[in-house]
Amino acid sequence: MPILNAILGACSQGILWGIMTLGVFLTFRILDVADLTVDGSFATGGAVSAVLIVSGMNPYVTLIVAFFAGTITGLATGFMNTKLKIHVLLASILTQIALYSVNIRIMGKANIPLLGKETVMSGIASKFSITTTQASLFVGLAVTVVLVIVMYWFFGTELGSALRATGNNEKMVRALGVNTDTMKITGLAISNGLVALSGALVAQSQGYGDVQMGTGTIVIGLASIIIGEVIFGKRFGFWYTLISVVAGSILYRIVIAIVLQLGLKSTDLKLLTALIVAIALSIPVFKTKVIPKKKYALEENTQHSALIRKNEKADPDKLSK
């Protein structure tokens, strides 16, 4: 039972963090850039949502505000990258560093508890007489379904197609008359908006907003993307890829929960995360190099055996000599 409860909690947290993974997927896979802003924008979403809930705002409305707060952080990174010509990696690091101070300014302190305050999860839990964990799972599933549908539709539009093309071949898209700077800024804004939305949901689920809650977000996001791609592969279409990314986040959380139940110290989670990412990254190499060699050796042995059997039937005396 403890392991089952841990897995249920991991699924609820995994699907909430999966929304963040969708944002990381947008920049990492579609725009083909490594955006480290997410470590700060995730905490920004949690900070904004927590402050507004404590101030008396409807918890559902705080999610919308958190999303737009996240888009502002993405705009800052995009502006420095496209207009000030700062490398996107350095620009995102600068924004991430600045957001630490900004988030403390927003909250007024390092941590804001939500005890006794109504959140989306607590409201649904009390209405349907379920636990907060079950409510988190329900909310995460509902939001994820909506986001996957919206993202699938958006990236099929002219703007979304131009955004995907910018990540595939920026020079070609620019030659066709598309403003690639605008595409980059738009992609970074949407990505960090999704990350901030995830941060707001996680803050409401865990019952507090903290300035450090976004630490390591980019690593978790990349691990979830890679796990989803390796296990589920790229099949059917873009919608399947989006779902596999969220599934990767859930699997990542389940692995963490099971390992913790088996006795691993919480201080070793960073090491475990690094190992999971390294293993997941090495699987494609194993598939393309090790497996084909074994397959080739097996086929060669099969052909050799077939040749021997053929010769035996043709001239057994000659073969024995």
Side-chain angles (χ1 to χ4, degrees):
M1 287 302 295
I3 293 181
L4 292 178
N5 290 330
I7 292 176
L8 179 61
C11 289
S12 64
Q13 287 298 306
I15 199 165
L16 293 179
W17 282 80
I19 298 170
M20 174 275 300
T21 307
L22 289 173
V24 176
F25 173 81
L26 200 160
T27 53
F28 183 64
R29 286 301 189 212
I30 295 180
L31 283 181
D32 195 26
V33 297
D35 179 27
L36 301 185
T37 311
V38 297
D39 278 27
S41 59
F42 186 86
T44 299
V48 170
S49 181
V51 168
L52 294 178
I53 288 174
V54 171
S55 301
M57 183 177 286
N58 186 296
Y60 290 92
V61 178
T62 66
L63 298 178
I64 300 175
V65 179
F67 174 83
F68 284 106
T71 61
I72 294 174
T73 65
L75 289 174
T77 300
F79 177 81
M80 285 190 287
N81 174 232
T82 58
K83 305 304 178 183
L84 302 183
K85 303 304 178 184
I86 301 175
H87 191 277
V88 63
L89 187 61
L90 180 57
S92 62
I93 292 174
L94 293 174
T95 307
Q96 176 198 124
I97 293 172
L99 284 176
Y100 181 85
S101 299
V102 172
N103 293 335
I104 291 181
R105 282 280 186 176
I106 292 173
M107 294 189 293
K109 50 186 177 180
N111 183 289
I112 292 185
L114 298 176
L115 296 176
K117 302 294 181 180
E118 182 178 352
T119 64
V120 174
M121 284 70 181
S122 63
I124 292 178
S126 61
K127 184 176 181 179
F128 294 99
S129 300
I130 56 178
T131 64
T132 304
T133 300
Q134 293 171 333
S136 298
L137 183 61
F138 173 77
V139 172
L141 182 61
V143 175
T144 300
V145 169
V146 172
L147 287 177
V148 168
I149 293 174
V150 171
M151 290 180 70
Y152 181 74
W153 166 81
F154 172 75
F155 284 106
T157 63
E158 184 177 349
L159 177 60
S161 298
L163 191 61
R164 296 172 70 176
T166 300
N168 288 331
N169 194 329
E170 182 179 347
K171 293 182 179 179
M172 178 61 72
V173 172
R174 191 184 298 115
L176 295 174
V178 177
N179 191 328
T180 55
D181 287 352
T182 302
M183 292 298 101
K184 289 180 181 180
I185 293 174
T186 302
L188 288 167
I190 296 174
S191 170
N192 284 279
L194 293 174
V195 172
L197 174 61
S198 176
L201 288 169
V202 170
Q204 293 191 33
S205 175
Q206 64 189 12
Y208 64 91
D210 190 89
V211 71
Q212 296 282 2
M213 64 184 292
T215 303
T217 298
I218 183 63
V219 178
I220 296 172
L222 294 178
S224 302
I225 292 172
I226 295 166
I227 290 171
E229 290 178 345
V230 168
I231 294 179
F232 299 100
K234 298 179 180 179
R235 305 182 181 92
F236 307 118
F238 185 65
W239 63 270
Y240 180 82
T241 303
L242 296 175
I243 294 175
S244 67
V245 164
V246 179
S249 175
I250 296 174
L251 290 176
Y252 170 80
R253 287 289 166 182
I254 290 176
V255 171
I256 295 294
I258 292 176
V259 171
L260 287 176
Q261 286 293 317
L262 294 177
L264 184 73
K265 295 181 179 179
S266 58
T267 53
D268 296 330
L269 285 180
K270 299 296 182 183
L271 175 61
L272 178 62
T273 300
L275 290 175
I276 292 174
V277 174
I279 293 171
L281 284 171
S282 64
I283 290 177
V285 178
F286 181 80
K287 287 182 177 180
T288 56
K289 292 186 177 181
V290 179
I291 294 179
K293 289 181 179 179
K294 291 184 177 180
K295 185 178 180 181
Y296 174 77
L298 180 62
E299 291 177 351
E300 190 177 33
N301 291 332
T302 304
Q303 292 175 358
H304 183 66
S305 301
L307 182 61
I308 291 176
R309 288 195 297 269
K310 183 178 179 180
N311 291 332
E312 285 177 346
K313 292 179 180 179
D315 191 355
D317 295 333
K318 183 178 179 181
L319 182 65
S320 60
K321 291 179 181 180

